[in-house]
Amino acid sequence: MFGKCKLVLHRSIPDGFKIKTASITKKADGYYVTLSLEDSTVPEIKPDFNPNKITGIDVGLKEFLTTSEGETVAIPQYYRKAQKRLRVIQKCVSRRKKGSNRRQEAVKQLGKQHKKVADKRKDFHFKTANNLLKKYDVIAVEDLNIKGLARTRLAKSVLDAGWSSFLSILTNKAVNAGLLVVPVSAHNTSQNCSNCGEKVPKKLHERWHDCPHCGCSLDRDHNAAINIKNRAVGHPVLKAQSMSVSEASPKEIAIAGVAEKPASYLYSG
Ligand SMILES: [Zn+2]
């Protein structure tokens, strides 16, 4: 219709983006072409989730998790009991003579108990994920794919509680429901004050956050969960989503996304 024509390119089109639509508008000083782009690395999100229904969750030593709203989910008692029973059977196996029938029997029992623990844990993870996603549309979590965590005491607790398998269940459920799990940097989430941002160093056994700078006082994990939530609030995908909920049209979001360099990651799996 127009044939070829010269244009002023305000922004270059980033690599890996596909042009979805182009719209032309006539303004006083000329014609404007607005392109809507798609980044295949950013998963499509259902447009009807509410970015304000957001929470942050912190993995704890004491609780399974604490939300930025101060809710806690405890590690279930039966799980601890099952772990104890596991250790008893394990001892039984190692005491019995290799190759004996009695040992064979104990090994069988051990396998059964392992499966029982795994099933209970999975069940608990599913229930916890469901409860969170019923209440919140966006859940910010610590990105645990970091070196260094393995050396900390927290790592053991994370492994015990199966935090990473919980995260993959939560992420899958969120994706299927058109909701969002946003991993954020775990750096200093428990040390920084969630109210004023000052660093308030504390050892692992100190369970309470008492900020000498602003007087903010709350549970250590609660403070961390608020920091985790706050780190996700500025996320480009959420910003784009808030715009679509409030004022902007889809193509403006696409362009705004380009301007802000959309996230190259969101979740894996
Ligand atoms: Zn403070």
Side-chain angles (χ1 to χ4, degrees):
M1 183 167 70
F2 280 93
K4 281 184 184 173
C5 60
K6 279 188 184 174
L7 65 89
V8 181
L9 194 62
H10 294 283
R11 280 183 215 113
S12 58
I13 295 162
D15 281 340
F17 283 74
K18 222 169 90 189
I19 296 175
K20 296 290 281 184
T21 60
S23 64
I24 297 160
T25 40
K26 188 186 175 195
K27 291 189 183 170
D29 54 351
Y31 287 90
Y32 284 77
V33 183
T34 309
L35 301 176
S36 169
L37 308 179
E38 182 185 80
D39 180 0
S40 53
T41 62
V42 176
E44 259 185 63
I45 297 155
K46 268 198 213 159
D48 54 355
F49 81 79
N50 182 352
N52 298 318
K53 275 171 82 178
I54 179 172
T55 190
I57 56 178
D58 180 58
V59 49
L61 289 165
K62 214 177 77 208
E63 308 289 348
F64 178 70
L65 64 85
T66 303
T67 72
S68 52
E69 277 55 53
E71 308 144 305
T72 57
V73 176
I75 298 169
Q77 273 304 311
Y78 61 72
Y79 180 67
R80 287 201 169 126
K81 265 187 215 154
Q83 288 285 55
K84 227 184 222 170
R85 173 120 182 83
L86 207 55
R87 278 196 293 274
V88 171
I89 303 173
Q90 181 67 60
K91 256 188 207 158
C92 206
V93 170
S94 49
R95 268 205 310 266
R96 287 178 182 176
K97 225 171 113 191
K98 269 185 191 163
S100 71
N101 278 343
R102 278 165 56 77
R103 187 187 166 105
Q104 208 58 356
E105 232 168 70
V107 168
K108 226 175 166 180
Q109 243 191 338
L110 186 66
K112 266 191 195 162
Q113 186 65 14
H114 264 300
K115 190 173 179 307
K116 214 166 147 188
V117 171
D119 287 349
K120 282 196 169 173
R121 188 164 73 179
K122 207 171 169 187
D123 186 55
F124 166 64
H125 287 168
F126 269 98
K127 277 186 187 143
T128 308
N130 275 339
N131 288 341
L132 281 171
L133 293 170
K134 248 187 254 165
K135 228 170 154 179
Y136 303 104
D137 285 3
V138 183
I139 297 166
V141 300
E142 275 184 321
D143 188 355
L144 294 177
N145 296 320
I146 35 162
K147 283 179 191 171
L149 184 79
R151 289 196 303 267
T152 67
R153 250 176 73 194
L154 187 61
K156 198 188 172 303
S157 148
V158 168
L159 287 177
D160 277 355
W163 182 251
S164 67
S165 73
F166 168 70
L167 278 192
S168 65
I169 287 172
L170 179 69
T171 305
N172 283 336
K173 278 196 164 292
V175 169
N176 289 336
L179 306 176
L180 208 57
V181 172
V182 184
V184 300
S185 159
H187 187 66
N188 277 342
T189 46
S190 59
Q191 305 296 321
N192 292 351
C193 176
S194 59
N195 186 50
C196 71
E198 289 286 336
K199 195 168 174 184
V200 184
K202 46 183 107 51
K203 301 226 167 74
L204 208 56
H205 64 86
E206 292 173 60
R207 303 306 314 158
W208 204 255
H209 169 81
D210 257 317
C211 180
H213 308 281
C214 72
C216 173
S217 169
L218 76 177
D219 177 82
R220 174 205 180 101
D221 295 342
H222 187 189
N223 177 63
I226 295 172
N227 281 329
I228 292 166
K229 174 188 170 178
N230 288 344
R231 278 179 197 188
V233 167
H235 201 287
V237 172
L238 292 184
K239 271 192 201 159
Q241 181 67 18
S242 340
M243 280 171 70
S244 86
V245 169
S246 50
E247 71 265 25
S249 72
K251 52 181 178 282
E252 283 169 303
I253 289 164
I255 297 298
V258 172
E260 288 178 47
K261 280 215 136 194
S264 54
Y265 71 94
L266 252 190
Y267 24 65
S268 47

